[in-house]
Amino acid sequence: MAENKRTFLEELQEAKSHSYAVGAFNIFNHLSARAVVRAAEELGLPVILQTSVVTVKEFGTVQLGAMLRQLAEEASVNVLIHLDHCQDVELAKACVDAGWDAVMYDGSRLSLEENIAGCREVVEYAHRKGVQVEGELGRIVGVEDALKVSAEDASLAGLEDSIRFVRESGIDAFAPAIGTAHGVYKGRPKINFDLVAQLKEALAAPVVIHGGTGLSEETFRRLICSGGAKVNVSTAIKHAYLDTCRDYFKDAPAKPDPIGFDRILSHAIEQTVKDHMIIFTKDRA
């Protein structure tokens, strides 16, 4: 069991101060969550189990919270539970009540004023219970479970609006749209590294990088050195799981072995997580 457990914000502030990033990996069942924790334990690094709204609704808030909380409490490293891209204020509050360490209220589809108001409502509720809040400005292109943003609807965050948004909303971590994308990249992304560096200097709130799957090691390291303290990875975890399933059944094993099958899936996810976490901590001071 991890000792001296840091909060979500404390882990991100530590990462920001020492030029590395905490990996946040979107899990979708017990196997994937346990594999992420095992990878973090092998490396001796803190990690974030990130849940989509789709996953929360599939399992149930209380049931999923209890399952993840048990994994977190039994881990030898600091494991934090975070809700990703929630557009429903009431669901965000329910996850706060069910034991999440942090929640993201995503009002990026709204006007700046409405986004600030929605975040502030979640912040006021969450902070009373010791839970931190992530917010987003600008719209990140791509598909993330039920969240879909076309290239036409995508928009990048600007420095002045970002500063206003963070200060007026009271959020603890900030996810600006900087040119990364959810899902699989089509071509080389055009990323605003300068904005990440400017936000690191202008704000106390750590910067979060969404759309981590498919970025090169060079891009990851540049983003992290610029100020990215948390990096989200979702699609790579799904591919590790599903691609391994396809490869396994191509061989059509004669003997049914569900436990062995689960071990193979778990190993694939663990390796994917470790590969990313090693990159995220390469420049650790």
Side-chain angles (χ1 to χ4, degrees):
M1 187 176 296
E3 297 179 359
N4 302 320
K5 179 181 172 73
R6 291 191 182 104
T7 66
F8 175 85
L9 178 57
E10 287 170 343
E11 282 292 7
L12 267 56
Q13 292 286 22
E14 182 76 4
K16 177 181 178 181
S17 299
H18 293 88
S19 300
Y20 69 93
V22 180
F25 301 93
N26 282 52
I27 56 85
F28 39 83
N29 56 18
H30 185 270
L31 184 150
S32 58
R34 187 175 62 173
V36 171
V37 172
R38 284 178 172 174
E41 288 181 319
E42 282 193 41
L43 295 175
L45 294 170
V47 73
I48 297 170
L49 295 178
Q50 201 152 257
T51 61
S52 69
V53 169
V54 170
T55 303
V56 173
K57 290 182 176 179
E58 179 66 24
F59 282 85
T61 308
V62 174
Q63 294 85 346
L64 181 60
M67 180 184 82
L68 298 180
R69 180 53 51 203
Q70 182 179 8
L71 286 171
E73 289 175 354
E74 293 177 354
S76 60
V77 294
N78 193 15
V79 176
L80 297 155
I81 304 167
H82 179 61
L83 175 66
D84 194 26
H85 284 293
C86 182
Q87 299 180 340
D88 182 344
V89 169
E90 296 309 314
L91 180 61
K93 291 179 180 178
C95 287
V96 169
D97 294 338
W100 269 248
D101 296 292
V103 296
M104 177 188 182
Y105 173 72
D106 182 357
S108 59
R109 71 200 182 283
L110 306 172
S111 68
L112 176 58
E113 289 74 18
E114 290 171 318
N115 194 354
I116 289 171
C119 282
R120 193 161 51 222
E121 182 177 350
V122 175
V123 165
E124 289 171 357
Y125 187 87
H127 281 188
R128 289 198 296 269
K129 305 197 175 189
V131 173
Q132 274 105 47
V133 179
E134 178 182 325
E136 179 178 317
L137 188 65
R139 304 201 70 192
I140 297 171
V141 69
V143 179
E144 183 74 21
D145 289 315
L147 185 71
K148 298 179 182 180
V149 178
S150 67
E152 293 75 21
D153 292 332
S155 59
L156 300 184
L159 180 60
E160 290 185 11
D161 282 347
S162 294
I163 293 172
R164 178 190 168 193
F165 172 65
V166 173
R167 290 179 177 169
E168 293 186 17
S169 66
I171 57 172
D172 303 286
F174 177 46
I178 56 169
T180 54
H182 291 132
V184 178
Y185 284 95
K186 297 177 181 178
R188 186 173 180 178
K190 295 180 180 179
I191 298 174
N192 190 344
F193 296 98
D194 290 340
L195 178 61
V196 178
Q198 290 167 340
L199 291 171
K200 178 184 180 182
E201 297 302 320
L203 300 172
V207 175
V208 176
I209 308 299
H210 283 241
T213 295
L215 294 178
S216 67
E217 179 175 342
E218 178 188 1
T219 300
F220 275 131
R221 293 176 69 183
R222 187 174 173 188
L223 281 168
I224 293 165
C225 288
S226 296
K230 170 178 177 268
V231 179
N232 291 6
V233 178
S234 175
T235 303
I237 305 303
K238 295 172 187 173
H239 273 294
Y241 184 87
L242 294 173
D243 293 351
T244 302
C245 283
R246 293 189 189 100
D247 291 342
Y248 181 87
F249 287 111
K250 277 180 186 176
D251 296 332
K255 179 184 175 182
D257 184 11
I259 298 299
F261 177 51
D262 279 357
R263 288 196 188 110
I264 292 170
L265 294 176
S266 181
H267 176 75
I269 294 173
E270 285 177 43
Q271 192 59 55
T272 299
V273 172
K274 284 193 290 185
D275 289 346
H276 283 84
M277 293 182 80
I278 288 168
I279 293 171
F280 297 166
T281 56
K282 211 160 194 176
D283 295 314
R284 194 173 184 176

